[in-house]
């Protein structure tokens, strides 16, 4: 592949204002071409781009196209920066009036140097908000798609759509469906801006001369007009890749705009690198319908403040995953100590979850056309979710969810880039595809959407769109749910047993049970909306009875059954909130609730009143 850096523009406005500035602050920049002006981090703007593309393993040659007016400046720069002088192309123009136009400059380089290879084109006078993005990732994505590639970014709030070339991109295929060069207000809802950063297949290079024959004026020989013609009229396949950073061409901007954007990008970079990112995800309890989420059923679940996982990310020189002192032990007091810890906590801590999430995140972004910066970081985690609370699953899910939140913030990946519905699938795939853990979507959906969530996993929805229908429910005035779990979950049962195989084989008892779970969920949703807590309590009991009839006592385990029986002695509704080791209940008699708490504690169980997490209210309800 060949890279061509374009620096042939005539920045007359900026050059004139620098020359006439009476503060004396910019006198040393008088006459300096715009690509050689200072950029972020004290580097010249062109220095950054040369460092980014000066890689023999990626490019066979790099060319620089300049004008005759500033040719000597770039010749001197080439000598000082080990850039091959023979690769500096002079387009012969000396003024703005006799310029060739950006597309003509590119065509000149290709024709004069007889280039016959794929080409990456970059404007060498473009300010970049982040100095660390990965050129190799861009090339890999370009080669994975059957067409040209345009780099785009999401406009900041202060930027107007009419100041940029706008792209409309199909989320599923990454194909650019329409290109609009500096559109008028209201012409498109897109806030995705194209920059002069493209990859063009060698077979398409002949289109440059065809376009130039149609455009006689230099003002019309811009890349914006070229892409409008190629995409909207010729309907060639052109794909888009998003960079999570901002860009500013300083071609015809003034001195105040140049200094403002330079200061803005520098400040953003300093702030981003100095502040740690901390994200928290909460455990959940299944209130209704589980375990039908894995069987095209419906469920209602709620995130709770009592238990959480927290991940902290801080930028660092190398990528470091820090083991948790309790959950990832590497040192023990004795062999007996190792035995006791391993028996109670298991062998698999959270470190593998951090690693698997990072790996899957990079893979997802590469596939989805989201270029990431080459920044490293240190990740650490903490959690207070007991292994007993639903068999360690909320701990796993919460750590993965919190890690993903941190990575999205660090790399500026937005909700549009990774929507909540897809995010839940992502978390599930980390566990199923990377760690080979059998799991369903319910937990992941709740930890992404947070709060009280109704979920429909019908076969039709899952097959058509790859995810279910998720609805956040009002959490105002919820009754006091409670949670209890075993101090030692060793007898909590093998909850899922052979149910999946029986369901896949179409066993009527199991198939009908999963349909009934879904019906109970719809009734529970109505009870929640009507604030009918007596009805909700009845439905919770029915949910457990149905589960018991299908899974049998042997699968549920004596520990779970003991907690259920104890709760029923006090007239409380009770069910399993997940896969086992804990029970969730609803007791509407406050006096009996106090007595029940004491009874659970005397039975050696941990008992707590649930503190629902309500994102709409800013946290705890």
């Amino acid at each position: 592949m060949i890279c061509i850096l374009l620096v042939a523009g005539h920045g007359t406005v900026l050059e004139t204002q620098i020359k006439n500035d009476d503060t004396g602050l910019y006198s040393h920049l008088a006459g300096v071409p715009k690509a050689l002006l200072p950029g972020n981090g004290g580097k010249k703007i062109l220095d950054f781009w040369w460092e980014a593309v000066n890689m023999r393993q990626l490019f066979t040659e790099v060319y620089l196209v300049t004008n005759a007016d500033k040719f000597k400046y770039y010749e001197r720069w080439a000598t000082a920066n080990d850039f091959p002088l023979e690769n500096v192309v002079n387009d012969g123009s000396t003024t703005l009036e006799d310029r060739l136009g950006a597309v003509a400059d590119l065509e000149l380089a290709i024709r004069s140097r007889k280039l016959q290879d794929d080409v990456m084109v970059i404007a060498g006078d473009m300010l970049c908000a982040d100095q660390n993005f990965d050129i190799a990732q861009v090339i890999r994505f370009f080669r994975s798609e059957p067409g040209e590639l345009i780099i785009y970014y999401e406009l900041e709030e202060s930027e107007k759509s009419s100041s940029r070339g706008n792209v409309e991109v199909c989320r599923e295929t990454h194909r650019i469906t329409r290109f609009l060069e500096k559109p008028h207000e209201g012409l498109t809802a897109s806030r995705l801006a194209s920059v002069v950063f493209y990859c063009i297949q060698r077979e398409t290079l002949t289109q440059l001369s065809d376009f130039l024959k149609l455009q006689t004026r230099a003002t019309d020989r811009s890349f914006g007009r070229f892409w409008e013609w190629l995409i909207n009229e010729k309907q060639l396949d052109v794909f888009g890749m998003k960079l999570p950073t901002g860009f500013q061409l300083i071609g015809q901007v003034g001195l105040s705009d140049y200094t403002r954007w330079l200061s803005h990008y520098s400040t953003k970079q300093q702030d981003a690198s100095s502040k740690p990112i901390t994200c928290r995800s909460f455990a959940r309890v299944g209130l209704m319908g589980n375990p039908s989420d894995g069987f095209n059923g419906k469920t209602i679940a709620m995130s709770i403040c009592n238990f959480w996982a927290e991940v902290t990310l801080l930028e660092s020189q190398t990528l470091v995953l820090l083991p948790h002192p309790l959950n990832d032990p590497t040192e023990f007091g004795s062999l007996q100590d190792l035995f006791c810890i391993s028996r109670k906590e298991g062998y698999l801590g959270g470190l593998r979850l951090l690693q698997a999430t990072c790996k899957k995140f990079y893979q997802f972004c590469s596939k989805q056309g989201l270029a990431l910066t080459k920044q490293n970081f240190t990740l650490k985690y903490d959690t207070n979710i007991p292994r007993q609370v639903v068999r360690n699953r909320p701990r796993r899910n919460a750590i993965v969810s919190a890690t993903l939140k941190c990575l999205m913030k660090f790399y500026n990946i937005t909700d549009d880039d990774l929507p909540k519905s897809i995010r839940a699938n992502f978390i599930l795939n980390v566990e199923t595809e990377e760690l080979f853990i059998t799991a369903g979507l319910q937990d992941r959906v709740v930890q992404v959407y947070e709060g009280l969530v109704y979920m429909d996993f019908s076969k039709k929805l899952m097959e058509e769109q790859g995810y279910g229908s998720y609805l956040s429910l009002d959490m105002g005035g919820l009754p006091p749910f409670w949670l209890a779990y075993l101090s030692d979950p060793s007898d909590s049962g093998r909850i899922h047993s052979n149910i999946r195989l029986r369901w896949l084989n179409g066993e009527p008892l199991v198939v009908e049970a999963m349909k009934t779970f879904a019906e109970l969920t719809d009734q529970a949703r109505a009870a929640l909306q009507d604030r009918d807590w007596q009805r909700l309590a009845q439905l919770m009991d029915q949910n457990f009875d149905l589960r018991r009839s299908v899974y049998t006592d042997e699968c549920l385990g004596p520990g779970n059954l003991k907690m259920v029986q104890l709760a029923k002695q006090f007239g409380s509704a009770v069910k399993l909130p997940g896969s086992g080791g804990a029970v969730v209940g609803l007791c509407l008699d406050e006096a009996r609730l106090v007595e029940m708490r004491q009874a659970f504690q005397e039975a050696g169980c941990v008992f707590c009143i649930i503190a629902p997490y309500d994102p709409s209210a800013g946290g705890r309800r």
Side-chain angles (χ1 to χ4, degrees), residues 99-110:
R99 70 190 185 280
L100 303 187
V103 177
D105 281 325
L106 174 60
E107 193 272 341
L108 171 65
I110 292 168

Side-chain angles (χ1 to χ4, degrees), residues 126-127 135 367 371 376 479 482 499 549:
M126 186 164 55
L127 277 174
I135 290 282
K367 187 176 180 181
N376 286 325
W482 57 266
I499 290 296
S549 70

Side-chain angles (χ1 to χ4, degrees), residues 258-279:
Y258 161 67
T259 54
R260 176 170 58 86
W261 281 111
L262 189 61
S263 174
H264 175 62
Y265 284 165
S266 298
T267 302
K268 279 183 66 174
Q269 206 166 16
Q270 290 169 7
D271 290 346
S273 61
S274 62
K275 293 179 181 177
I277 298 169
T278 299
C279 295

Side-chain angles (χ1 to χ4, degrees), residues 160-293:
K160 294 181 179 180
S161 299
S162 57
S163 66
R164 297 283 184 275
N166 281 217
V167 293
E168 296 176 357
V169 185
C170 173
R171 187 183 301 279
E172 287 74 31
T173 64
H174 319 300
R175 189 174 181 270
I176 294 178
T177 56
R178 192 162 65 139
F179 190 103
L180 298 163
E181 174 67 356
K182 299 178 181 178
H184 295 300
E185 191 73 27
L187 195 57
T188 177
S190 174
R191 295 281 296 167
L192 305 177
S194 164
V195 294
V196 183
F197 192 156
Y198 318 116
C199 293
I200 304 174
Q201 298 177 114
R202 63 179 177 180
E203 296 84 1
T204 311
L205 296 178
T206 56
Q207 299 282 352
L208 296 171
S209 57
D210 293 343
F211 170 76
L212 292 173
K213 290 174 185 176
L214 299 173
Q215 308 295 341
T216 57
R217 297 186 305 171
T219 52
D220 295 327
R221 293 179 163 188
S222 66
F223 278 109
R225 298 300 178 205
F226 173 72
W227 291 118
E228 277 188 323
W229 174 73
L230 203 65
I231 296 169
N232 305 351
E233 294 184 32
K234 301 280 286 183
Q235 295 190 344
L236 264 66
D237 286 334
V238 179
F239 297 86
M241 185 176 199
K242 182 181 179 183
L243 285 181
T245 186
F247 293 89
Q248 286 297 321
L249 277 168
I250 60 170
Q252 292 303 316
V253 304
L255 180 58
S256 61
D257 287 328
Y258 161 67
T259 54
R260 176 170 58 86
W261 281 111
L262 189 61
S263 174
H264 175 62
Y265 284 165
S266 298
T267 302
K268 279 183 66 174
Q269 206 166 16
Q270 290 169 7
D271 290 346
S273 61
S274 62
K275 293 179 181 177
I277 298 169
T278 299
C279 295
R280 179 174 283 195
S281 287
F282 297 95
R284 65 95 190 124
V285 290
L287 294 181
M288 192 60 58
N290 58 304
S292 72
D293 58 309

Side-chain angles (χ1 to χ4, degrees), residues 292-343:
S292 72
D293 58 309
F295 304 90
N296 297 131
K298 299 177 182 180
T299 64
I300 295 174
M302 179 173 66
S303 50
I304 63 176
C305 295
N306 308 64
F307 303 109
W308 45 263
E310 186 175 89
V311 174
T312 299
L313 182 153
L314 183 64
E315 187 171 0
S316 56
Q317 290 295 313
T318 57
L319 201 157
V320 181
L321 306 179
L322 295 177
H324 191 278
L326 291 179
N327 300 322
D328 304 291
T330 56
E331 188 174 331
F332 303 88
S334 64
L335 190 58
Q336 182 184 9
D337 182 35
L338 181 149
F339 168 79
C340 293
I341 290 174
S342 301
R343 178 179 177 274

Side-chain angles (χ1 to χ4, degrees), residues 489-608:
S490 58
D491 66 345
S492 61
R494 294 181 298 112
I495 297 302
H496 284 298
S497 185
N498 63 346
I499 290 296
R500 173 157 293 279
L501 180 61
R502 292 164 62 190
W503 180 73
L504 290 172
N505 288 337
E507 184 178 320
L509 175 67
V510 177
V511 172
E512 287 305 312
M514 296 307 164
K515 291 179 180 178
T516 305
F517 278 125
E519 293 168 1
L520 292 175
T521 300
D522 284 334
Q523 294 175 47
R525 175 183 171 185
L528 283 162
Q529 291 171 336
D530 296 339
R531 300 295 185 265
D532 187 347
W533 309 134
Q534 289 283 0
R535 178 59 179 153
L536 181 62
Q538 293 170 3
L539 292 167
M540 291 176 70
D541 282 334
Q542 290 179 41
N543 195 118
F544 175 76
D545 292 341
L546 178 60
R547 184 167 184 167
R548 187 175 188 176
S549 70
V550 177
Y551 282 83
T552 74
D553 288 359
E554 182 181 1
C555 290
L556 295 185
N560 292 317
L561 293 173
K562 178 182 176 182
M563 289 190 289
V564 170
Q565 291 163 1
L566 184 57
K568 287 184 178 295
Q569 292 175 19
F570 292 88
S572 176
V574 63
K575 66 180 291 293
L576 303 186
S579 299
V583 291
V584 62
L586 174 58
C587 183
L588 300 174
D589 186 324
E590 290 188 17
R592 303 217 74 185
L593 179 62
V594 173
E595 294 173 4
M596 184 172 59
R597 177 201 287 264
Q598 185 175 349
F600 267 95
Q601 291 169 341
E602 290 174 355
C605 299
V606 180
F607 186 99
C608 63

Side-chain angles (χ1 to χ4, degrees), residues 5 14 19 88 118 147 154 158 225 235 243 251 276 313 317 356 391 412 427 433-435 463 514 564:
L5 299 172
L14 182 56
K19 181 180 178 181
V88 180
D118 296 340
E154 192 158 357
S158 61
R225 298 300 178 205
Q235 295 190 344
L243 285 181
L313 182 153
Q317 290 295 313
R391 284 282 197 90
N412 195 28
I427 296 169
E433 296 178 4
E434 297 300 319
L435 302 174
E463 288 181 349
M514 296 307 164
V564 170

